[in-house]
């Protein structure tokens, strides 16, 4: 019975933690892409993350236009999730510095997964509803454009067909595999690795 409650506790903490991490990372990525701040979805993300992010900004200044407070908050969210889930799972407290490194790897992995799934959604809707002006799809296009742009400079569209997403998919998959290698080098437990989002199938 104790094991059942522990599993439920890990599930709840991991779910809430990954949702919080998703919101913080998405806010950072949208700012990085200079997406529409007044998009209703952007505003929703801002309202959800402001209670923790605004106080942190007083302590963590931006660097070269990057919102470093969002980066620090993402690491803290991942760190707390790792430490609490480790305790609930009966593994005791992990080394705090190791947990911080694992949190960084998990945050990068989750970012890759966000971009990968976002691309899938964007491609599907480009076939189903290419002219859609839904706020979510518009925001997704704005988010992904900076990812596509560098690839398009090297590999231009073939007529009416933009093949840059294919190469971005390949790059993201390679990055995810490299990240798994780094996680193994950092002795990141499989249990901790599974707390974060990854490209589907990994």
């Amino acid at each position: 019975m104790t094991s059942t409650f522990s599993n439920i506790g890990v599930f709840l903490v991991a779910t809430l933690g990954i949702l919080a991490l998703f919101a913080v990372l998405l806010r950072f990525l949208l700012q990085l892409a200079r997406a529409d701040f007044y998009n209703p979805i952007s505003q929703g993300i801002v309202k959800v993350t402001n209670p923790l992010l605004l106080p942190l900004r007083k302590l963590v200044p931006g660097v070269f236009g990057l919102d470093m407070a969002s980066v620090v908050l993402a690491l803290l969210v991942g760190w707390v999730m790792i430490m609490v889930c480790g305790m609930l799972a009966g593994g005791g407290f992990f080394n705090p510095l190791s947990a911080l490194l694992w949190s960084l790897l998990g945050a990068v992995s989750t970012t890759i997964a966000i971009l990968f799934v976002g691309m899938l959604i964007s491609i599907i809707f480009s076939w189903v509803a290419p002219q859609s002006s839904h706020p979510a799809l518009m925001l997704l296009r704005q988010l992904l454009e900076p990812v596509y742009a560098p690839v398009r400079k090297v590999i231009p569209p073939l007529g009416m067909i933009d093949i840059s997403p294919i190469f971005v998919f390949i790059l993201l998959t390679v990055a995810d595999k490299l990240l798994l290698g780094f996680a193994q080098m950092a002795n990141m437990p499989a249990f901790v690795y599974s707390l974060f989002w990854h490209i589907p199938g990994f």
Side-chain angles (χ1 to χ4, degrees), residues 109-130:
S109 175
T110 302
T111 300
I112 291 172
I114 290 171
L115 295 175
F116 192 94
V117 174
M119 287 175 59
L120 286 177
I121 294 172
S122 178
I123 290 171
I124 291 172
F125 277 93
S126 69
W127 296 336
V128 177

Side-chain angles (χ1 to χ4, degrees), residues 3-183:
S3 177
T4 299
F5 284 121
S6 296
N7 291 337
I8 292 173
V10 170
F11 169 75
L12 292 175
V13 172
T15 300
L16 293 175
I18 202 66
L19 289 175
L21 182 62
F22 170 76
V24 175
L25 289 175
L26 198 55
R27 177 163 182 173
F28 175 75
L29 291 172
L30 291 173
Q31 289 176 328
L32 201 61
R34 301 187 184 280
D36 182 10
F37 179 78
Y38 297 102
N39 183 294
I41 295 176
S42 296
Q43 286 294 299
I45 294 171
V46 168
K47 289 179 181 178
V48 167
T49 54
N50 266 350
L52 292 176
L53 193 56
L54 292 184
L56 196 57
R57 279 183 177 165
K58 297 177 181 178
L59 303 174
V60 183
V63 178
F64 301 116
L66 297 177
D67 183 14
M68 297 307 296
S70 292
V71 175
V72 171
L73 181 57
L75 293 178
L76 288 175
V77 168
W79 184 85
V80 170
M81 181 172 66
I82 290 170
M83 298 298 282
V84 174
C85 286
M87 182 182 64
L88 290 174
F93 284 105
F94 291 116
N95 182 299
L97 292 179
S98 295
L100 189 61
L101 175 59
W102 299 340
S103 177
L104 173 61
L105 294 173
V108 175
S109 175
T110 302
T111 300
I112 291 172
I114 290 171
L115 295 175
F116 192 94
V117 174
M119 287 175 59
L120 286 177
I121 294 172
S122 178
I123 290 171
I124 291 172
F125 277 93
S126 69
W127 296 336
V128 177
Q131 305 302 322
S132 174
S133 58
H134 191 283
L137 294 177
M138 293 177 67
L139 200 63
L140 194 55
R141 294 185 194 113
Q142 293 170 354
L143 173 65
L144 294 173
E145 184 54 35
V147 180
Y148 293 146
V151 179
R152 289 195 186 113
K153 291 180 181 179
V154 180
I155 306 170
L158 298 178
M160 297 294 290
I161 302 175
D162 182 9
I163 62 173
S164 60
I166 297 174
F167 291 92
V168 175
F169 274 131
I170 294 173
L171 291 173
L172 289 176
T173 302
V174 170
D176 197 71
K177 288 180 178 293
L178 287 173
L179 202 64
L180 175 58
F182 289 139

